[in-house]
Every structure is written in structure tokens, then in C-alpha cells.
Amino acid sequence: MSIKPSIPKGTRDYHPNLVSKRNYIIQKLKDNFIRFGYHEIQTPSFEKSNILKGNYGQEGDRLIFNILNSGEKVKKANINSLKDDNLSEFVNSISDKALRYDLTVPLARYVSQYQNEIKFPFKRFQIQNVWRADRPQKGRFQEFTQCDADVIGSDSILNEIEMINIYAKSLKDLGLKNLELKINHRAILNSISKKIELNSQFKKFMIILDKIDKIGQENVIKELIESLSLKDKYIEDLKFIFNSKSNSDILEFIEKQYIIDEDSKIALGQLKTIKDFFDLNSYDHINISFDLSLARGLDYYTGVIFEISSNNHKEIGSIGGGGRYNDLTKRFSAQNLSGIGISFGLERIFYILENDSLFPDSIDQQNEILVLNFGIEYIKKLDHVINYFRKSNNLTIYPDESKIIKQFSYADHNKFRSVLIFGKDEDENNIFKIKNMESGIEKIINITNFKEV
Amino acid sequence: MSIKPSIPKGTRDYHPNLVSKRNYIIQKLKDNFIRFGYHEIQTPSFEKSNILKGNYGQEGDRLIFNILNSGEKVKKANINSLKDDNLSEFVNSISDKALRYDLTVPLARYVSQYQNEIKFPFKRFQIQNVWRADRPQKGRFQEFTQCDADVIGSDSILNEIEMINIYAKSLKDLGLKNLELKINHRAILNSISKKIELNSQFKKFMIILDKIDKIGQENVIKELIESLSLKDKYIEDLKFIFNSKSNSDILEFIEKQYIIDEDSKIALGQLKTIKDFFDLNSYDHINISFDLSLARGLDYYTGVIFEISSNNHKEIGSIGGGGRYNDLTKRFSAQNLSGIGISFGLERIFYILENDSLFPDSIDQQNEILVLNFGIEYIKKLDHVINYFRKSNNLTIYPDESKIIKQFSYADHNKFRSVLIFGKDEDENNIFKIKNMESGIEKIINITNFKEV
């Protein structure tokens, strides 16, 4: 019986050219992380289920891929829970680990586990795959690569500033222009929610606010009225918040309206420090602005939050985001280690580079020299020549003694820059030829002299 | 309730120094694969279960990690099959995909799926994780990285020769010495099994033969007698096979005794070609020999098989292996695409480099410059200096305004090469200092002039 070769919905094969392009982006990010003093760690693809679950909200937890216990252990399936429609209990009875959903919770687990060996502040980056059982749809995959940089164990606002610098430098190295980096603070959002009497529904308020880029201001306000019974008298306030454009105006506005406790006072101070820093050290390719409507969905953020997007490609949404999370290690009763992190959206950055032709041409011209095959005895005699070229080029030996026209067609199809010719005639004349595939020009090289190179 | 931070048995966290060392090995392998004209592909971490299962023998299939169907789909659990103790049917009712067990079957699926787009011969390498639900034990993990290079769509013996060259060049680049590369051929093993009347139990014969490095000749023969009823009269024959040392002897012996059909005749010709090639193009650091006791467990091999190990580290077994598999794409009714591939054992290569101190020192000295923090205003003024150094060094800003002694202790603990000092005094004198952490020598640099660099 023949099996149809196919992959699960929501997954992808990466063909050579795609891998090269992704590696190009990943390498630029890595280089920058390293230059900023971050160290790479890697954690297992699966974690114990109790470590992962309970961090991402109900919706997030639902999207975690559970791994079935192996061998005889599946016999412990709790069949009654299935009959009672208690699916999560049923799943727990046959699965105790799951594929990681992001890299932040594994990091919190990691620093808690090794807290006595790590000298804090700990700066790490991590570029690994994560898995989400999302309904597969165009451009949304169940397996994708996250690129994260985080600092654990320091409250200093210099970390927030550094995150902005990492975004700016890395994306500049990739050639991106006209970027927009938006900043907000959870403590300010908290004050706002209190002022407009929605603080008892803070999470829901954030989730609705987070939709502003997709559905627009009017619809956000409509949804706040319908779902959370926002009072009419606060609508104008919200509109002002949404429409403030200058960073100074916004800070002034916060100062007047939303400093209601110690937390919001500290938050304002932090935003001011960020503003002052970047007034002096500003970038051409990236506009840094405060945006009080920025919410970011994930439960665990507690302080400054970021989001970065491309003004030239608003259609794809943000290309990165992050923020400060104070309490993520609390679950492990680790000393409360404040953390801050950012993430790069590899797929979306790829989309921009591809669309704006920002990948270097060399990525498309991977194949350099093809050695035509006139028989194994000629390949054997070429050994020193092959070794010489392999020092600085990639060199492919055509393995079969096929017709030369077929070999040339292979060179052509795979865009080889040149072919190396060494057969009977060349051997008798003590030469080999290198033919440039684009110009057709042949270079004749003496193989006897070549030995002495 | 506090959760204990820990990872599932059989998995590992990779700390920064470990990641750097692994990356060092991976990069050397990649560089070689690319120089030999191989292209990188990546396939999804999980595949459809029917693609994976049925390739690795019963024991292998048992070690595949199944992924639970998500959401409501677990309701389709076939409870009766569980009651009937039909575990595989139960698993199939709630799981239709699984984590990949190796990179070879995904490759067979890949080339079958895209056979109309690929111009064969197709040379690819793949460095990705695989998962096996093995009983966790020292040095054996459930998640590990495979590094494979394969050629699909060419029968030429030049591919076998190339695989040997890739092993030799890559491991030389990593500094390995005194290596042993053993070669055998499944068709010859087939002849042998016929001659000693074990061909009806060929798979079992191979599995027992494969244990020779672990349990020794005597015990292999004992097991063949006990489990497969090997006749006494063949014992001497087997001993000769096990003890032949010279490549010429072995070829002569095969020629006399084991050429029983067209397949074994071709096999002998192939082994002769390999011998002739490497008589001329030999390596100092690797001994290439035929070994008729080499079997390699996996079902799918059909032609030449390899195994490479270190004579200095016999305790760890092979550091790589591979061979030719003719029929792997048949299952997908793809035109019969012959394949050959080799694999590098990353963990074991790592073990040797670590034990023999073959990692470059630079890997342990990752941290270059630490900027001491005397307050954000000084960091701000240093911006151009920081940017300058980041062009060719990694530079970490200590984020907190902690006591200087604490910051120095951080520099010391994390082995920073030097610290950059710029505080009130330095600012007033228009200088900054760079202190070498090992020698203690301070270099004083004029910050005004520095702007003009």
C-alpha cells in the first residue's frame, strides 16, 4: 500500500533557499545579541505540563500541544473523566508533558532552577521553535521560531533602554526602514482602568484594547461599552488617549490625570527617563513614541511594554514586542526576580526583507563549482585540485557518469557559477578547464603547475 | 502553591558555555557540508504518524513520541480498544501525528513529495532535533540533535567515496585524530547469512551481529547458536570473518566465498572501487577498513554501510554511521530513488573534544567588555564609545547602579576581559578608563579625541 507523502496541516518544509534566508536573519540577530553581551541558552522542546499551563490565559493553555505518555503508561487513562466530558482531566491522565508554547515561561523555570549558580543580572537570548495548536490558516503555523532576548534580576530602566537599542540596531543591520516603536506601561493602563471604573475587569479591558490596530478606535470603544458597560462620560477621555500624538503631551497628560498611586508615579518616572535618553540618542530609521492604547495580550506583563512595527508594511502587524514581567518566577518561589524581554517575529521580518528585496544576492547564488564527471579515474586525479578549491568555495562533484548535456543541464538548473572540466582530452594535455556558466568563457589551467600552488 | 522548577527526565538544559561549544561543532560540520555542495533543509518537528511508523522496526516504533490531538478531538478516544488492551489502536484514536524519530524518513517523505521540483541528484544536509521515548539513562537523552548529509537519486559509488571524504574532512577540522572508519555491505552480509543458513532470519542475524562491539565475538557466536540455532560447522567461518584484518585479505575472502549472485558481485566491485580510491587518496588521521562483522541495526539499509569511531575513545562507541538505502521512497510510490547518507553523533564528538581539550580557548572567554554603571547620565554620554566598541567586541552594560565592588565581582565571576570606567572623576577629566581584568593594567583614553575616531 502506498502512502501519500504530506505533512500535518499548519506545518512547513523549509527548502534550501528558505533556510539560507532564515539563517541570514537569525545570524544578524545573534550577532547583535552577542554584541550586547547576551548569552545563548537552549531548553528542552517539551516541559512538564504543570510548568507550562496556567501562564497564557485560558485561550493560550488550550493551544498547548500535549505529548502522550509512552508505552504502557497510556493504560492509566481516566476513562470516567472522558465520559464526564472533563477533557482536561482525561488529558492529564495520559499526558504529563507538553511542547513549549513560548520561550518566556521556560526561561522563568530555568532561572528559578539554577538561581544559585547564576550571577544576576542574567542576560540571555534564545532562538528555538515553539508550538501552538492554533487553527491552521494562511501565514499562521503550528510550529514557528521565536527569537528572544531577556534580562533577569535587574529593575533598572537601563534594561528597557537597552531593549529599544537592540531592536534598533538589529533591524538596522537587516536594512529595515521607517519603523515605529510604541511604548506603554502596565501601571499607567492600570490607572486608566481605575479612572474609567473598569479595573475590576482589567484583563478583559486589555484584551479589547489590544484589538485597536485590527478593529480601530471606534470599535474598541463600542466593544468597551457593550461588553464592559463603559460609562458614556469616559468616552472623551479615551478618545484623547487614543489620539495623543506627541510624547511630551502624553507624559503631561499622564502626569495630570493618571498619577494615582506609587506604582503609577514610578511608571511616569520610567517613561520620562526613556524619553530623555532617546531625545539625545535618536535613530533615523525608527520612531519611538508613547501610545496609551498599546496593551499587549499576555497576562504576565507588569511594567513597560513595547511593540514594534513597520510603517511600510502595516498589513502584517507588529514585527516584535515585549515588556517587563515582575512575577513570573514567583510560581517557583524563587526570590522575586524581575525580568524584561523582547521577541523578534522572524516570519514577519522575513516577509519585509523578501518584499523589499533586502536579502543579499549571494543567498540566491549558493552553488559555485560543479565538477563534471567523466569517470571516477578523472575525479581521483583531480583530488588536489578539488581540495584546493574547497578551501574557499563550495564544490559539487556530479556523482554519475551521465551524458555531458545532462550534467550541464544540472549545472544550469541549479545555478552553478562555473563547471570544472577534466576528461580524456584534458588529461592528455595536462590541463583542466573552468567554464563560467553565465559568460560561457573557458579558463584553461595547467594541472601540472597547479600541483605546486 | 509553589511549583518545583524541573524538566522531564531524559531532557536537558543547555547553559551558555555548552551552547557555544555545540555551536562550534555544528558550524564546522555545516561549513564542510556546504563546501561539498550540500544544501540545508528543515522539516517539521512532527510528521503524520503513518509516515513515521513502520520504518524503524517494532522496537523503534515503540519509541516514537505521539502528540495528542488537540481540543475536542480527544473525545474520539476508542475506549474499547483500551479495554481490549489494544494500545496502538487506542493511541491512533487520539493521536495522528508524532515527533520525528530520525531525519532519514522525513527526508524520504520530503523528496517523494517534491520529486517534480527537485533536480536529482539531490544533496542535502539537515541539523535538527529528534526525539525518542527511550528509557532515560546516563548519557542517553530523549531529545537530541542529528547532523545528517544525504544524496538522493544517484547510484554512483562516488557518493560512498564522498561520504568518507566528508567524515574525514569534517572531523579533521575539529581536530580529531586516530579515527577508525569501518565499511561493510549489506549484500555481502546477505551472502554470508545464506552461506551459514541464517538468511530466513536475516534481521535477527543483523541485530545480534550489531552487538559485537558491546559483547564481543564469543558472545555473538554464543547468541547465534542459542537464538538462531547456528550450526557448529559455520563457527570457524564466522571467526575468520571476525578476525580478518587486511582489506586485501577480506576482499579476496569475499571473492572466494561469498559471491553467490549478481548483488554480491556488484557489492564486491563497489568495495574494490572504494579500496582503490583511498589507496591513492589516504588520510593520516583516519584508518579506512572493511569489517565483515559491521551490521548496523536499522532496517532500511540495502548497500554499503559505514561506522566511524575513535580509537582513543573506544568507551563511547561510534561517533557516526550511515549507509545506502535503496527502497525508502518506495512506500510513497516515488520512482525508486536510491539514497545514501551519513550521520554525525554530536554528543559523542562533543565528548571527545571536551576530553581531549580540542575546543578553542576563545569559547570559554566569551565576555569582553563590561561597562561599569555610575548612573544613567554617564551611560548616555558614553553612547558613541559604546557603539564604537560594539563594532568588534561584545560589550555589556551593567544595568544597576550597584556598589562598584559588586560590579567588579560580577566582571570577575563572568570572566570579563576588561571593564570600562566612566564616572564623575573621569567625566570631569574628559577621559574614560579601560581596565584589563587579568593584568589589572588601566588604559586611559581621552573621550574628546575619541569622538573623532
Side-chain angles (χ1 to χ4, degrees), chain A residues 431-452:
Chain A
I431 55 158
F432 64 90
K433 293 178 190 155
I434 292 187
K435 186 186 179 90
N436 184 302
M437 284 295 286
E438 211 184 332
S439 66
I441 294 170
E442 272 186 8
K443 218 168 124 181
I444 295 173
I445 301 165
N446 190 313
I447 199 168
T448 328
N449 294 348
F450 198 83
K451 282 181 195 175
E452 291 149 21

PDB file of all heavy atoms in Angstrom, chain A residues 431-452:
ATOM      1  N   ILE A 431      45.808  19.536 -18.608  1.00  0.00           N
ATOM      2  CA  ILE A 431      45.084  20.769 -18.247  1.00  0.00           C
ATOM      3  C   ILE A 431      43.720  20.408 -17.654  1.00  0.00           C
ATOM      4  O   ILE A 431      43.269  19.264 -17.715  1.00  0.00           O
ATOM      5  CB  ILE A 431      44.816  21.666 -19.482  1.00  0.00           C
ATOM      6  CG1 ILE A 431      44.068  20.843 -20.565  1.00  0.00           C
ATOM      7  CG2 ILE A 431      46.089  22.266 -20.038  1.00  0.00           C
ATOM      8  CD1 ILE A 431      43.305  21.691 -21.541  1.00  0.00           C
ATOM      9  N   PHE A 432      43.106  21.400 -17.033  1.00  0.00           N
ATOM     10  CA  PHE A 432      41.667  21.296 -16.790  1.00  0.00           C
ATOM     11  C   PHE A 432      41.059  22.656 -17.136  1.00  0.00           C
ATOM     12  O   PHE A 432      41.783  23.650 -17.257  1.00  0.00           O
ATOM     13  CB  PHE A 432      41.345  20.858 -15.348  1.00  0.00           C
ATOM     14  CG  PHE A 432      41.765  21.825 -14.272  1.00  0.00           C
ATOM     15  CD1 PHE A 432      40.900  22.834 -13.838  1.00  0.00           C
ATOM     16  CD2 PHE A 432      43.030  21.718 -13.673  1.00  0.00           C
ATOM     17  CE1 PHE A 432      41.294  23.710 -12.844  1.00  0.00           C
ATOM     18  CE2 PHE A 432      43.411  22.601 -12.677  1.00  0.00           C
ATOM     19  CZ  PHE A 432      42.550  23.596 -12.265  1.00  0.00           C
ATOM     20  N   LYS A 433      39.723  22.650 -17.353  1.00  0.00           N
ATOM     21  CA  LYS A 433      39.079  23.898 -17.771  1.00  0.00           C
ATOM     22  C   LYS A 433      38.035  24.325 -16.743  1.00  0.00           C
ATOM     23  O   LYS A 433      37.365  23.475 -16.144  1.00  0.00           O
ATOM     24  CB  LYS A 433      38.366  23.693 -19.101  1.00  0.00           C
ATOM     25  CG  LYS A 433      39.298  23.420 -20.271  1.00  0.00           C
ATOM     26  CD  LYS A 433      38.467  23.180 -21.516  1.00  0.00           C
ATOM     27  CE  LYS A 433      39.319  22.661 -22.676  1.00  0.00           C
ATOM     28  NZ  LYS A 433      38.518  21.895 -23.630  1.00  0.00           N
ATOM     29  N   ILE A 434      37.914  25.631 -16.578  1.00  0.00           N
ATOM     30  CA  ILE A 434      36.809  26.147 -15.759  1.00  0.00           C
ATOM     31  C   ILE A 434      35.957  27.046 -16.632  1.00  0.00           C
ATOM     32  O   ILE A 434      36.441  28.048 -17.174  1.00  0.00           O
ATOM     33  CB  ILE A 434      37.337  26.914 -14.526  1.00  0.00           C
ATOM     34  CG1 ILE A 434      38.002  25.906 -13.569  1.00  0.00           C
ATOM     35  CG2 ILE A 434      36.206  27.640 -13.822  1.00  0.00           C
ATOM     36  CD1 ILE A 434      38.411  26.484 -12.263  1.00  0.00           C
ATOM     37  N   LYS A 435      34.701  26.647 -16.789  1.00  0.00           N
ATOM     38  CA  LYS A 435      33.821  27.389 -17.679  1.00  0.00           C
ATOM     39  C   LYS A 435      32.841  28.197 -16.849  1.00  0.00           C
ATOM     40  O   LYS A 435      32.129  27.652 -15.979  1.00  0.00           O
ATOM     41  CB  LYS A 435      33.042  26.395 -18.543  1.00  0.00           C
ATOM     42  CG  LYS A 435      32.187  27.031 -19.624  1.00  0.00           C
ATOM     43  CD  LYS A 435      31.344  25.946 -20.313  1.00  0.00           C
ATOM     44  CE  LYS A 435      30.451  26.542 -21.372  1.00  0.00           C
ATOM     45  NZ  LYS A 435      31.113  26.585 -22.691  1.00  0.00           N
ATOM     46  N   ASN A 436      32.826  29.497 -17.069  1.00  0.00           N
ATOM     47  CA  ASN A 436      31.853  30.368 -16.396  1.00  0.00           C
ATOM     48  C   ASN A 436      30.480  30.147 -17.032  1.00  0.00           C
ATOM     49  O   ASN A 436      30.316  30.297 -18.243  1.00  0.00           O
ATOM     50  CB  ASN A 436      32.289  31.825 -16.537  1.00  0.00           C
ATOM     51  CG  ASN A 436      31.357  32.758 -15.780  1.00  0.00           C
ATOM     52  OD1 ASN A 436      30.149  32.792 -16.017  1.00  0.00           O
ATOM     53  ND2 ASN A 436      31.924  33.512 -14.850  1.00  0.00           N
ATOM     54  N   MET A 437      29.508  29.798 -16.242  1.00  0.00           N
ATOM     55  CA  MET A 437      28.208  29.406 -16.783  1.00  0.00           C
ATOM     56  C   MET A 437      27.417  30.592 -17.323  1.00  0.00           C
ATOM     57  O   MET A 437      26.522  30.429 -18.148  1.00  0.00           O
ATOM     58  CB  MET A 437      27.377  28.685 -15.710  1.00  0.00           C
ATOM     59  CG  MET A 437      27.820  27.256 -15.465  1.00  0.00           C
ATOM     60  SD  MET A 437      27.564  26.174 -16.913  1.00  0.00           S
ATOM     61  CE  MET A 437      25.778  25.972 -16.875  1.00  0.00           C
ATOM     62  N   GLU A 438      27.729  31.790 -16.836  1.00  0.00           N
ATOM     63  CA  GLU A 438      26.976  32.947 -17.324  1.00  0.00           C
ATOM     64  C   GLU A 438      27.592  33.500 -18.605  1.00  0.00           C
ATOM     65  O   GLU A 438      26.922  33.643 -19.622  1.00  0.00           O
ATOM     66  CB  GLU A 438      26.908  34.031 -16.246  1.00  0.00           C
ATOM     67  CG  GLU A 438      25.638  34.848 -16.337  1.00  0.00           C
ATOM     68  CD  GLU A 438      25.629  35.979 -15.329  1.00  0.00           C
ATOM     69  OE1 GLU A 438      26.279  35.828 -14.279  1.00  0.00           O
ATOM     70  OE2 GLU A 438      24.998  37.013 -15.612  1.00  0.00           O
ATOM     71  N   SER A 439      28.897  33.743 -18.568  1.00  0.00           N
ATOM     72  CA  SER A 439      29.561  34.338 -19.735  1.00  0.00           C
ATOM     73  C   SER A 439      29.931  33.274 -20.779  1.00  0.00           C
ATOM     74  O   SER A 439      30.137  33.594 -21.944  1.00  0.00           O
ATOM     75  CB  SER A 439      30.840  35.058 -19.294  1.00  0.00           C
ATOM     76  OG  SER A 439      31.771  34.109 -18.795  1.00  0.00           O
ATOM     77  N   GLY A 440      30.052  32.019 -20.359  1.00  0.00           N
ATOM     78  CA  GLY A 440      30.469  30.970 -21.283  1.00  0.00           C
ATOM     79  C   GLY A 440      31.974  30.914 -21.487  1.00  0.00           C
ATOM     80  O   GLY A 440      32.488  30.039 -22.192  1.00  0.00           O
ATOM     81  N   ILE A 441      32.702  31.839 -20.873  1.00  0.00           N
ATOM     82  CA  ILE A 441      34.161  31.889 -21.056  1.00  0.00           C
ATOM     83  C   ILE A 441      34.852  30.720 -20.351  1.00  0.00           C
ATOM     84  O   ILE A 441      34.521  30.402 -19.213  1.00  0.00           O
ATOM     85  CB  ILE A 441      34.728  33.233 -20.526  1.00  0.00           C
ATOM     86  CG1 ILE A 441      34.194  34.390 -21.403  1.00  0.00           C
ATOM     87  CG2 ILE A 441      36.258  33.228 -20.469  1.00  0.00           C
ATOM     88  CD1 ILE A 441      34.480  35.765 -20.854  1.00  0.00           C
ATOM     89  N   GLU A 442      35.783  30.091 -21.071  1.00  0.00           N
ATOM     90  CA  GLU A 442      36.541  28.982 -20.502  1.00  0.00           C
ATOM     91  C   GLU A 442      37.950  29.412 -20.122  1.00  0.00           C
ATOM     92  O   GLU A 442      38.646  30.049 -20.911  1.00  0.00           O
ATOM     93  CB  GLU A 442      36.645  27.827 -21.516  1.00  0.00           C
ATOM     94  CG  GLU A 442      35.498  26.856 -21.458  1.00  0.00           C
ATOM     95  CD  GLU A 442      35.714  25.657 -22.374  1.00  0.00           C
ATOM     96  OE1 GLU A 442      36.816  25.514 -22.933  1.00  0.00           O
ATOM     97  OE2 GLU A 442      34.750  24.891 -22.520  1.00  0.00           O
ATOM     98  N   LYS A 443      38.357  29.016 -18.916  1.00  0.00           N
ATOM     99  CA  LYS A 443      39.716  29.307 -18.468  1.00  0.00           C
ATOM    100  C   LYS A 443      40.463  27.986 -18.502  1.00  0.00           C
ATOM    101  O   LYS A 443      39.961  26.975 -18.007  1.00  0.00           O
ATOM    102  CB  LYS A 443      39.655  29.825 -17.040  1.00  0.00           C
ATOM    103  CG  LYS A 443      40.620  30.927 -16.704  1.00  0.00           C
ATOM    104  CD  LYS A 443      40.244  31.548 -15.361  1.00  0.00           C
ATOM    105  CE  LYS A 443      41.389  31.500 -14.389  1.00  0.00           C
ATOM    106  NZ  LYS A 443      41.015  32.073 -13.092  1.00  0.00           N
ATOM    107  N   ILE A 444      41.641  27.979 -19.106  1.00  0.00           N
ATOM    108  CA  ILE A 444      42.415  26.736 -19.184  1.00  0.00           C
ATOM    109  C   ILE A 444      43.561  26.792 -18.182  1.00  0.00           C
ATOM    110  O   ILE A 444      44.319  27.759 -18.137  1.00  0.00           O
ATOM    111  CB  ILE A 444      42.949  26.511 -20.614  1.00  0.00           C
ATOM    112  CG1 ILE A 444      41.738  26.300 -21.535  1.00  0.00           C
ATOM    113  CG2 ILE A 444      43.888  25.307 -20.675  1.00  0.00           C
ATOM    114  CD1 ILE A 444      42.090  26.223 -22.993  1.00  0.00           C
ATOM    115  N   ILE A 445      43.645  25.781 -17.322  1.00  0.00           N
ATOM    116  CA  ILE A 445      44.659  25.789 -16.271  1.00  0.00           C
ATOM    117  C   ILE A 445      45.526  24.543 -16.390  1.00  0.00           C
ATOM    118  O   ILE A 445      45.019  23.438 -16.584  1.00  0.00           O
ATOM    119  CB  ILE A 445      43.989  25.849 -14.885  1.00  0.00           C
ATOM    120  CG1 ILE A 445      43.135  27.121 -14.788  1.00  0.00           C
ATOM    121  CG2 ILE A 445      45.039  25.829 -13.766  1.00  0.00           C
ATOM    122  CD1 ILE A 445      42.173  27.134 -13.646  1.00  0.00           C
ATOM    123  N   ASN A 446      46.826  24.738 -16.273  1.00  0.00           N
ATOM    124  CA  ASN A 446      47.768  23.628 -16.335  1.00  0.00           C
ATOM    125  C   ASN A 446      47.723  22.836 -15.028  1.00  0.00           C
ATOM    126  O   ASN A 446      47.951  23.371 -13.960  1.00  0.00           O
ATOM    127  CB  ASN A 446      49.174  24.193 -16.572  1.00  0.00           C
ATOM    128  CG  ASN A 446      50.161  23.078 -16.879  1.00  0.00           C
ATOM    129  OD1 ASN A 446      50.193  22.074 -16.181  1.00  0.00           O
ATOM    130  ND2 ASN A 446      50.948  23.262 -17.936  1.00  0.00           N
ATOM    131  N   ILE A 447      47.414  21.549 -15.137  1.00  0.00           N
ATOM    132  CA  ILE A 447      47.237  20.754 -13.915  1.00  0.00           C
ATOM    133  C   ILE A 447      48.578  20.391 -13.287  1.00  0.00           C
ATOM    134  O   ILE A 447      48.666  20.199 -12.074  1.00  0.00           O
ATOM    135  CB  ILE A 447      46.381  19.483 -14.197  1.00  0.00           C
ATOM    136  CG1 ILE A 447      45.809  18.922 -12.887  1.00  0.00           C
ATOM    137  CG2 ILE A 447      47.173  18.421 -14.945  1.00  0.00           C
ATOM    138  CD1 ILE A 447      44.742  17.871 -13.094  1.00  0.00           C
ATOM    139  N   THR A 448      49.638  20.362 -14.080  1.00  0.00           N
ATOM    140  CA  THR A 448      50.964  20.045 -13.524  1.00  0.00           C
ATOM    141  C   THR A 448      51.439  21.198 -12.646  1.00  0.00           C
ATOM    142  O   THR A 448      51.885  20.991 -11.519  1.00  0.00           O
ATOM    143  CB  THR A 448      51.992  19.800 -14.653  1.00  0.00           C
ATOM    144  OG1 THR A 448      51.323  19.227 -15.759  1.00  0.00           O
ATOM    145  CG2 THR A 448      53.098  18.900 -14.184  1.00  0.00           C
ATOM    146  N   ASN A 449      51.342  22.396 -13.184  1.00  0.00           N
ATOM    147  CA  ASN A 449      51.721  23.567 -12.386  1.00  0.00           C
ATOM    148  C   ASN A 449      50.843  23.697 -11.153  1.00  0.00           C
ATOM    149  O   ASN A 449      51.288  24.110 -10.092  1.00  0.00           O
ATOM    150  CB  ASN A 449      51.579  24.859 -13.199  1.00  0.00           C
ATOM    151  CG  ASN A 449      52.579  24.889 -14.343  1.00  0.00           C
ATOM    152  OD1 ASN A 449      53.493  24.068 -14.380  1.00  0.00           O
ATOM    153  ND2 ASN A 449      52.375  25.810 -15.272  1.00  0.00           N
ATOM    154  N   PHE A 450      49.570  23.328 -11.343  1.00  0.00           N
ATOM    155  CA  PHE A 450      48.603  23.528 -10.269  1.00  0.00           C
ATOM    156  C   PHE A 450      49.009  22.791  -9.004  1.00  0.00           C
ATOM    157  O   PHE A 450      48.761  23.238  -7.907  1.00  0.00           O
ATOM    158  CB  PHE A 450      47.216  23.053 -10.722  1.00  0.00           C
ATOM    159  CG  PHE A 450      46.122  23.606  -9.880  1.00  0.00           C
ATOM    160  CD1 PHE A 450      45.616  24.873 -10.134  1.00  0.00           C
ATOM    161  CD2 PHE A 450      45.605  22.893  -8.806  1.00  0.00           C
ATOM    162  CE1 PHE A 450      44.621  25.406  -9.349  1.00  0.00           C
ATOM    163  CE2 PHE A 450      44.607  23.428  -8.005  1.00  0.00           C
ATOM    164  CZ  PHE A 450      44.112  24.678  -8.285  1.00  0.00           C
ATOM    165  N   LYS A 451      49.668  21.646  -9.216  1.00  0.00           N
ATOM    166  CA  LYS A 451      50.116  20.860  -8.065  1.00  0.00           C
ATOM    167  C   LYS A 451      51.017  21.668  -7.149  1.00  0.00           C
ATOM    168  O   LYS A 451      51.130  21.398  -5.962  1.00  0.00           O
ATOM    169  CB  LYS A 451      50.878  19.619  -8.545  1.00  0.00           C
ATOM    170  CG  LYS A 451      49.944  18.536  -9.033  1.00  0.00           C
ATOM    171  CD  LYS A 451      50.688  17.297  -9.485  1.00  0.00           C
ATOM    172  CE  LYS A 451      49.738  16.434 -10.281  1.00  0.00           C
ATOM    173  NZ  LYS A 451      50.371  15.262 -10.882  1.00  0.00           N
ATOM    174  N   GLU A 452      51.703  22.634  -7.767  1.00  0.00           N
ATOM    175  CA  GLU A 452      52.677  23.395  -6.983  1.00  0.00           C
ATOM    176  C   GLU A 452      52.056  24.597  -6.275  1.00  0.00           C
ATOM    177  O   GLU A 452      52.718  25.261  -5.506  1.00  0.00           O
ATOM    178  CB  GLU A 452      53.824  23.832  -7.892  1.00  0.00           C
ATOM    179  CG  GLU A 452      54.675  22.647  -8.333  1.00  0.00           C
ATOM    180  CD  GLU A 452      55.276  22.865  -9.719  1.00  0.00           C
ATOM    181  OE1 GLU A 452      55.381  24.014 -10.159  1.00  0.00           O
ATOM    182  OE2 GLU A 452      55.628  21.846 -10.368  1.00  0.00           O
TER     183      GLU A 452
END
